[in-house]
Amino acid sequence: MDAPRGAEATSEEAPARKARTRRPEGGHSALGERLIAGVPARIMRPRIVFLACLVAILAFGLLMVYSASSVEALKEMGSSVYYLQRQAIFIAIGLAGMLAVSRVPLVVMRSKLAWWAWGAMLVLLMLVLLVGKDAGGARRWILIAGQQFQPSEFAKAVVVVTAAKIFYEYYEEGSLDTARFLALLIACAGAPLLTIILEPDMGTCLIIAGSVFCMAYFAGFSYKLIGAVLGLGALLAVVLILSSDYRADRLFLGNPWDDPYDTGYQATLAIMAFASGGLFGRGIGNSTMKYNYLPEAHNDYILAIIGEELGLVGTLAFFAVFAVMVYAAFKIAWQSPSIQGRLIASGSIVLIALQFLINILGILGVTPMTGKTLPFTSYGGSSMIASLILMGLVLRVSIESNPKTVYDVRRDDFAVVEESTAGEPRLRGARSGGFTVLDGAQGRPRGTGRDDARPQAPRRSAPLASSRGGWGDGAQGRSRVDLGRDPADRLRRSGPRVGYDRGGYAPGRGRATGSPRGRRHDR
């Protein structure tokens, strides 16, 4: 049986349709070029996904802080919402800082102001060593207006911006030679790391050093140089760990169940929390470890409470949202037209991802716990505000990923003429010159004829007539060329017409030959 004709046509047209819709290599899809709020979708989509995931994580973190801290807050502060209210204030301040940073152009971040910010940050880190507050065997905080402030958290964003400036000047601008470039890069990262090690804060050192290393890799460092830097960094880390008995004991702790009531106390309780959560968890608010069993349940160990209340499925869903946010941030980084923007966005998200990974591995007992919070989820003012500032840097890069060219500026200056300058529309009639005048925009015929329907224009020395007010109104500033009633009239003179036919002269004869312009020269 023969196939239906419509089916044949459909099957034959399908490959052609696919060929038509396939975009050329290196081009953008039609969907990617659609505008979302005036921005191409290929740029706006990662930004929307990034912000949506960030808002979801912030809301989820606020909920988990309340769930994990309500018992302790009620016992110590007399209000179960004490930590919830403070965390909400920290998020509000952080979002304000994020929006403020997102409005700072990248050209400002690569000016001398970046080095001024770097110097101010280094002074604060030195003040921590001199007048800082001791807590938990480390000196990491200073008091400002009665509030604890941790400068090492804010040093992350400053180091990323300054390092990106140095990479830009070397790779894209070409204003630095190799020796000066390496010296500035070592000073940019080395001086803050030295002061942070002396606090001591090994976790922050690893995060900043790892982020600068990733920025160097993304910038295009040679593999030999990357290998040398990696080997030197590993050697320095081993020396720092072995130089302190406390760090060595934490690194070589072994099985936490060997000493569950001393060195392995928090690790074993965190494992028990994950185990009791099972596949789907106990439910929000039903954790038992937060009843003064697990120390810092709303801070460093909040992931254990998440695992207990939401189970494996809820924890993996939380990880998935965080992974999507990281992917969207990297997508924003690669869309930046400059190396500075790419390195700022990628360095900022690498900082957050490394801190996230270090916290998870420490809670699971894979690596020693360094006291680093879970980004956007754990309770803490300095960490929350500094992390949101990093997200403001990513947002700024996304905003500048669609630069306004000189053609866009010129296009914005174009004016749209709402009223036609060609006069009343007319339909040309026959060759003899008849025409029809249309009534306005509706196009209805208002009158027909040869001479009676056309207004008479005054005689002018130049073949121009006003257009906006009609054929005879010259008060307006615009005019039009009078092309005549009939196309044939454009080829004739108004005076005596002369024709050349085989060299002969015949006055009054028009187009005596079939030449296109009404005359012919014969040799």
Side-chain angles (χ1 to χ4, degrees), residues 427-435 454 482-493 511 516:
L427 295 179
R428 293 204 175 272
R431 186 178 179 86
S432 58
F435 60 89
R454 175 177 177 177
D482 188 358
L483 298 179
R485 306 174 186 177
D486 185 74
D489 293 339
R490 307 174 201 169
L491 307 178
R492 302 190 184 99
R493 296 177 181 270
R511 291 180 293 176

Side-chain angles (χ1 to χ4, degrees), residues 188-204:
C188 168
L193 290 178
L194 180 61
T195 58
I196 294 174
I197 288 174
L198 296 177
E199 293 183 1
D201 190 353
M202 191 67 179
T204 302

Side-chain angles (χ1 to χ4, degrees), residues 280-303:
F280 298 103
R282 294 173 173 268
I284 298 292
N286 294 329
S287 170
T288 57
M289 289 297 171
K290 65 184 179 184
Y291 285 88
N292 295 328
Y293 290 104
L294 182 62
E296 303 295 334
H298 61 290
N299 201 337
D300 300 348
Y301 281 85
I302 195 170
L303 184 63

Side-chain angles (χ1 to χ4, degrees), residues 187-436:
C188 168
L193 290 178
L194 180 61
T195 58
I196 294 174
I197 288 174
L198 296 177
E199 293 183 1
D201 190 353
M202 191 67 179
T204 302
C205 286
L206 291 175
I207 292 172
I208 294 178
S211 300
V212 175
F213 175 80
C214 290
M215 292 173 68
Y217 174 76
F218 295 145
F221 265 30
S222 66
Y223 288 107
K224 293 182 179 179
L225 185 57
I226 288 175
V229 172
L230 186 61
L232 180 61
L235 180 62
L236 289 175
V238 171
V239 171
L240 288 173
I241 291 173
L242 296 180
S243 63
S244 173
D245 295 336
Y246 172 71
R247 297 193 190 104
D249 291 340
R250 297 186 69 179
L251 180 63
F252 303 106
L253 177 62
N255 188 0
W257 295 98
D258 293 339
D259 192 3
Y261 297 104
D262 189 9
T263 56
Y265 180 71
Q266 287 178 305
T268 54
L269 288 178
I271 294 173
M272 291 171 62
F274 280 112
S276 63
L279 190 61
F280 298 103
R282 294 173 173 268
I284 298 292
N286 294 329
S287 170
T288 57
M289 289 297 171
K290 65 184 179 184
Y291 285 88
N292 295 328
Y293 290 104
L294 182 62
E296 303 295 334
H298 61 290
N299 201 337
D300 300 348
Y301 281 85
I302 195 170
L303 184 63
I305 305 301
I306 294 175
E308 184 181 7
E309 295 187 350
L310 299 181
L312 178 63
V313 174
T315 305
L316 292 179
F318 170 63
F319 290 170
V321 174
F322 195 90
V324 171
M325 184 186 72
V326 172
Y327 173 78
F330 274 117
K331 191 77 173 177
I332 290 172
W334 302 135
Q335 288 178 343
S336 175
S338 67
I339 188 174
Q340 181 200 16
R342 289 195 296 270
L343 294 182
I344 286 179
S346 58
S348 299
I349 200 61
V350 165
L351 273 167
I352 298 298
L354 284 178
Q355 183 170 335
F356 189 87
L357 187 63
I358 287 175
N359 179 272
I360 291 174
L361 295 179
I363 291 178
L364 296 177
V366 179
T367 60
M369 194 66 186
T370 59
K372 294 292 99 183
T373 59
L374 194 64
F376 312 115
T377 309
S378 297
Y379 173 81
S382 297
S383 176
M384 178 64 71
I385 297 173
S387 298
L388 287 174
I389 287 176
L390 288 170
M391 298 300 97
L393 293 175
V394 177
L395 183 58
R396 183 63 208 178
V397 172
S398 177
I399 292 173
E400 295 201 18
S401 294
N402 188 31
K404 195 170 187 179
T405 64
V406 64
Y407 306 105
D408 298 324
V409 176
R410 199 175 295 173
R411 189 182 299 113
D412 291 341
D413 293 337
F414 286 171
V416 179
V417 179
E418 298 181 357
E419 186 176 352
S420 173
T421 61
E424 292 183 350
R426 286 167 171 78
L427 295 179
R428 293 204 175 272
R431 186 178 179 86
S432 58
F435 60 89
T436 302

